[in-house]
Amino acid sequence: MNSSSSSVSPDSASLVDILPFLRAYKVRYFFGILVLILVDVLELIPPLLISITIDTLQGLPSSGVLATTLRRFSGGEIGVILWIFLGAIFLQWILRYLWRICFFFAQEYIARDIRRRYYYKLLELDTDFYTKAQTGELLSLASNDVDAVRMMMGAGFLLFVDTLCYFCFVLFLLISWNVELTFYLALTLPFLPFVVLYISRKIHFHFKKVQQQLAVISAHAQETFSGIGVIKNFLREPQEIQRFHRENQDYLRYNLDLAKYQSLFWPFMAFVVSLQSLLVLWIGGQFVQQGEMSSGELVGFIYAMWLLTWPAIALGWTMSMYQKGMASLGRLKGVLGHPSSFSLESSVSVVSLRGKIDFSGVCFTYPQSSHSALENITLRVEPGQTVALVGATGSGKSTLMRLLLRLYSVQEGEIRVDGFSVEELSLAQLRRSIGYMPQETFLFSMTVEENIAFGLEGVDFGVVERAARLACIHEEIEALPERYRTRLGEKGVNLSGGQKQRLALARTLAMSPPILVLDDCLCAVDPQTERRILANLRTLCPRPTILVSTHRLHTVQDADWIVVLEGGQILEQGTHDQLLRRGGWYAHTYRQQQLLQCIEGGPDVG
Ligand SMILES: Nc1ncnc2c1ncn2[C@@H]1O[C@H](COP(=O)(O)OP(=O)(O)OP(=O)(O)O)[C@@H](O)[C@H]1O
Ligand SMILES: [Mg+2]
């Protein structure tokens, strides 16, 4: 994911940000570190035993604190030395398993915690955030970035501790054998982590490009499958194949670049380690000849030196993992710390709302928009009234509804429901009281029954069926293969656009909200059925307050009040008859639509 083209602004993360994770799993980390230190101490035994064995076989004395102590402990018996060797290897095997369990479990728990917090946050964030954020990016944060933090907190953390301890212990062992030789070796060591870091960065850079290109290919393939009908109708197959070929070639190129650096890594390491061995053998050999070291010690030294290259390599990896993890944590913080302008708390406690709505002097401009979407809207809707919002496309109908639902906050003026400002009601209270049907319908891949009962606690079939009847979809559901138990969506039955809209309406009606906000949500339903549904809603007892928007004027001609919006302002308002008499936009558009229906021989438009 490229943060420069990011729609979510990243935050900066510091060590303080990882403290809560360490604290949450402190017992695991504590034991992990303890066992890790034990393993690192045990790592010293094999080189020591090798040097002691060689010296014992040659009848030479041992020097160095560790070697002499261990030799005294074994009584100089080769059999005992081998038994100690075997014991150390076994113990290491068990302890290595233990620390892996400690750290790897901790990293999985941490990843789970971050994913959970992230998902909760995404549900809490307001509509404004989603208008800017890209779905792909949000998904990538949940997978790639959480994974980078997971690696940092698990593998990265253990490598860091391991590297430090191991380095100190092995260095101590080497110094105990020969200070001068250790000094020469130490001169070559700092070089390694930087080379590792350099190569790791290159690998990471190319890996990112590979991932990005894979995303491009996947998106293209997905788009092709979704739009296969359009591609075939427009005879675009050759162009699409060519485009895919180009993308595939790029993918290959990026993979080859990555393979170059990946192939470089281990051969380079082997080369450096061999050079170090050569240096130690050359200088150490002279020390042995001069009698400053025994041959057993030199062999042990070389063995321990090989052990030392691991922490040097690991240090480079640790740095790279830390950098990636911190960058990802920063990006996640950008979302987790994103302010949610809506408080879930309410300052007033209302059991149920009756449905009186007051818009007074409402003005609103969308964030990042230069022109106002609504200007000075004042409107009162009494409980049980049906008010229709009509007007040309872009006149502000949906915006007014969104403000009532507090999907956005009003900038000037006020919206009150039953006398309470929508700002002081809790979001939960507000949205439970308002059944909102947006212009776009979304159904889940569940059964029809579960879809309708989505907002209910459990499935009450009586409520589900009543809602379906009100939305004029009951008969069609009964005709489905498994009726209300029919599965919808990807692996289930696909409904027509109008059926989907009526099913979604049934879902809203099942909640029996005192206020219904229907934003042009039945545009795919035939006008007669739309009118019948609206009539059904007015028979409900108690009658819900209905705010409905549409482009088909005759479907709302029975509404108690009709408001015509233009450019975010109220152009005219009244009952159907009043507006017709007025002879303005409404009367003109209504007659035009009526004429069109007659010409097309359409249904009776009343
Ligand atoms: N998310 C948004 N960000 C910025 N501007 C927006 C956004 N949504 C709508 N607008 C603008 O606000 C104005 C009112 O839009 P709105 O969606 O309320 O119109 P509408 O009356 O519902 O139109 P339609 O009949 O096409 O649904 C338009 O100028 C539109 O371009
Ligand atoms: Mg709209």
Side-chain angles (χ1 to χ4, degrees):
M1 197 184 62
N2 189 355
S3 58
S4 60
S5 64
S6 165
S7 58
V8 176
S9 39
D11 211 337
S12 64
S14 66
L15 281 175
V16 179
D17 294 305
I18 62 172
L19 284 183
F21 301 134
L22 297 180
R23 221 175 285 136
Y25 299 99
K26 53 180 178 288
V27 179
R28 281 178 198 282
Y29 276 109
F30 177 75
F31 277 107
I33 292 173
L34 206 69
V35 176
L36 196 60
I37 293 175
L38 260 176
V39 173
D40 287 348
V41 171
L42 286 173
E43 288 276 9
L44 302 183
I45 290 182
L48 272 173
L49 290 178
I50 287 171
S51 87
I52 295 169
T53 309
I54 294 175
D55 286 346
T56 308
L57 287 173
Q58 293 187 335
L60 295 170
S62 290
S63 60
V65 200
L66 296 172
T68 37
T69 315
L70 200 64
R71 190 160 176 183
R72 205 174 305 130
F73 179 73
S74 65
E77 292 276 334
I78 296 290
V80 179
I81 291 173
L82 291 182
W83 276 112
I84 297 176
F85 206 141
L86 190 68
I89 310 174
F90 254 108
L91 203 58
Q92 275 189 21
W93 175 31
I94 296 165
L95 294 179
R96 277 198 181 120
Y97 171 74
L98 282 181
W99 66 244
R100 276 181 170 78
I101 287 284
C102 285
F103 286 117
F104 291 160
F105 271 39
Q107 77 173 25
E108 296 310 328
Y109 281 120
I110 288 171
R112 189 259 330 250
D113 292 350
I114 300 176
R115 271 195 299 268
R116 185 166 54 191
R117 265 182 64 198
Y118 182 66
Y119 185 71
Y120 285 3
K121 185 71 195 182
L122 287 185
L123 287 188
E124 193 191 299
L125 283 167
D126 46 67
T127 323
D128 184 32
F129 173 83
Y130 284 99
T131 50
K132 284 180 230 148
Q134 291 158 0
T135 315
E137 191 179 347
L138 294 180
L139 288 178
S140 156
L141 274 163
S143 53
N144 296 343
D145 291 272
V146 170
D147 207 48
V149 178
R150 185 183 75 104
M151 290 295 286
M152 174 176 74
M153 293 311 298
F157 190 83
L158 83 87
L159 272 182
F160 176 69
V161 177
D162 190 32
T163 307
L164 270 187
C165 300
Y166 205 59
F167 193 77
C168 296
F169 295 156
V170 176
L171 210 61
F172 178 66
L173 176 66
L174 293 179
I175 289 172
S176 83
W177 272 325
N178 195 307
V179 181
E180 211 179 327
L181 194 54
T182 310
F183 171 75
Y184 288 123
L185 177 64
L187 287 181
T188 64
L189 281 176
F191 173 64
L192 264 184
F194 289 104
V195 175
V196 174
L197 185 65
Y198 172 76
I199 299 180
S200 301
R201 272 192 187 162
K202 285 279 177 196
I203 288 178
H204 177 59
F205 173 76
H206 290 287
F207 185 65
K208 233 166 78 175
K209 281 179 90 171
V210 165
Q211 272 189 320
Q212 278 166 354
Q213 191 58 22
L214 182 64
V216 170
I217 291 194
S218 313
H220 183 190
Q222 198 194 353
E223 209 178 78
T224 306
F225 303 142
S226 315
I228 192 76
V230 183
I231 292 173
K232 286 193 177 294
N233 284 345
F234 285 79
L235 300 171
R236 293 285 300 181
E237 289 99 331
Q239 288 88 340
E240 290 303 313
I241 290 171
Q242 239 178 27
R243 202 175 116 199
F244 188 82
H245 177 67
R246 270 200 309 274
E247 290 166 357
N248 203 13
Q249 277 302 110
D250 284 345
Y251 186 50
L252 171 73
R253 199 155 44 82
Y254 296 149
N255 265 310
L256 295 183
D257 286 344
L258 176 64
K260 271 186 225 160
Y261 281 97
Q262 277 175 333
S263 312
L264 185 68
F265 192 80
W266 287 112
F268 183 79
M269 288 302 134
F271 174 69
V272 172
V273 171
S274 304
L275 277 186
Q276 283 176 336
S277 307
L278 194 72
L279 180 81
V280 170
L281 211 58
W282 177 47
I283 302 174
Q286 290 174 19
F287 286 151
V288 173
Q289 276 178 342
Q290 289 157 12
E292 285 179 36
M293 257 181 125
S294 70
S295 46
E297 281 167 357
L298 181 61
V299 175
F301 195 98
I302 292 176
Y303 187 111
M305 182 206 76
W306 285 337
L307 294 182
L308 205 58
T309 44
W310 162 242
I313 293 172
L315 193 65
W317 273 344
T318 313
M319 285 195 273
S320 149
M321 263 189 241
Y322 175 76
Q323 284 171 347
K324 274 192 263 175
M326 278 301 183
S328 290
L329 193 60
R331 276 194 289 270
L332 283 164
K333 258 182 82 185
V335 175
L336 292 174
H338 196 280
S340 159
S341 53
F342 302 130
S343 137
L344 286 167
E345 303 297 318
S346 79
S347 50
V348 291
S349 174
V350 191
V351 181
S352 68
L353 296 169
R354 284 178 55 238
K356 183 175 148 197
I357 308 166
D358 270 302
F359 296 92
S360 49
V362 171
C363 298
F364 180 75
T365 305
Y366 279 100
Q368 291 165 338
S369 169
S370 53
H371 66 280
S372 57
L374 289 176
E375 279 174 50
N376 197 21
I377 301 285
T378 300
L379 177 70
R380 167 168 290 187
V381 186
E382 295 296 339
Q385 258 193 344
T386 298
V387 171
L389 299 177
V390 297
T393 181
S395 56
K397 305 180 291 291
S398 302
T399 307
L400 195 62
M401 293 175 161
R402 289 184 198 128
L403 292 182
L404 172 63
L405 280 175
R406 235 171 84 196
L407 292 173
Y408 292 94
S409 284
V410 172
Q411 285 141 358
E412 256 181 72
E414 199 175 35
I415 303 177
R416 288 182 170 270
V417 179
D418 283 9
F420 301 106
S421 159
V422 288
E423 300 290 330
E424 54 185 23
L425 290 166
S426 81
L427 270 187
Q429 261 169 349
L430 192 68
R431 294 190 183 158
R432 212 178 295 125
S433 309
I434 302 179
Y436 173 54
M437 277 276 301
Q439 275 174 292
E440 310 81 30
T441 316
F442 184 83
L443 294 173
F444 292 92
S445 308
M446 308 172 180
T447 64
V448 170
E449 188 176 351
E450 285 163 344
N451 261 295
I452 298 180
F454 187 72
L456 303 173
E457 298 284 334
V459 179
D460 179 341
F461 188 70
V463 175
V464 168
E465 196 190 316
R466 182 171 155 268
R469 280 183 193 281
L470 280 173
C472 297
I473 184 80
H474 172 72
E475 276 80 22
E476 279 147 279
I477 294 174
E478 285 289 310
L480 288 173
E482 290 177 68
R483 301 158 65 180
Y484 279 83
R485 296 276 157 87
T486 312
R487 247 195 125 65
L488 302 180
E490 273 186 24
K491 289 186 183 138
V493 167
N494 267 321
L495 301 177
S496 76
Q499 284 171 331
K500 279 186 197 154
Q501 289 189 335
R502 278 173 293 147
L503 199 62
L505 179 64
R507 174 174 67 193
T508 306
L509 296 178
M511 299 268 290
S512 312
I515 302 170
L516 277 171
V517 174
L518 311 177
D519 187 3
D520 202 10
C521 61
L522 295 172
C523 55
V525 177
D526 65 89
Q528 282 165 314
T529 313
E530 183 178 1
R531 218 172 140 184
R532 214 169 74 228
I533 292 171
L534 289 175
N536 278 351
L537 298 183
R538 280 197 294 274
T539 62
L540 284 172
C541 189
R543 237 172 97 166
T545 306
I546 304 173
L547 207 58
V548 55
S549 85
T550 184
H551 285 284
R552 297 183 297 190
L553 301 186
H554 53 273
T555 61
V556 290
Q557 66 186 55
D558 305 323
D560 299 305
W561 199 249
I562 299 166
V563 180
V564 181
L565 291 176
E566 191 185 67
Q569 289 176 320
I570 295 182
L571 182 66
E572 51 189 15
Q573 54 184 320
T575 60
H576 172 68
D577 294 331
Q578 285 169 350
L579 287 172
L580 277 190
R581 277 199 299 277
R582 199 169 179 274
W585 183 92
Y586 182 86
H588 179 72
T589 314
Y590 181 82
R591 296 221 169 86
Q592 238 180 6
Q593 289 186 357
Q594 206 178 24
L595 201 67
L596 219 66
Q597 291 274 1
C598 289
I599 294 168
E600 286 170 2
D604 171 32
V605 290

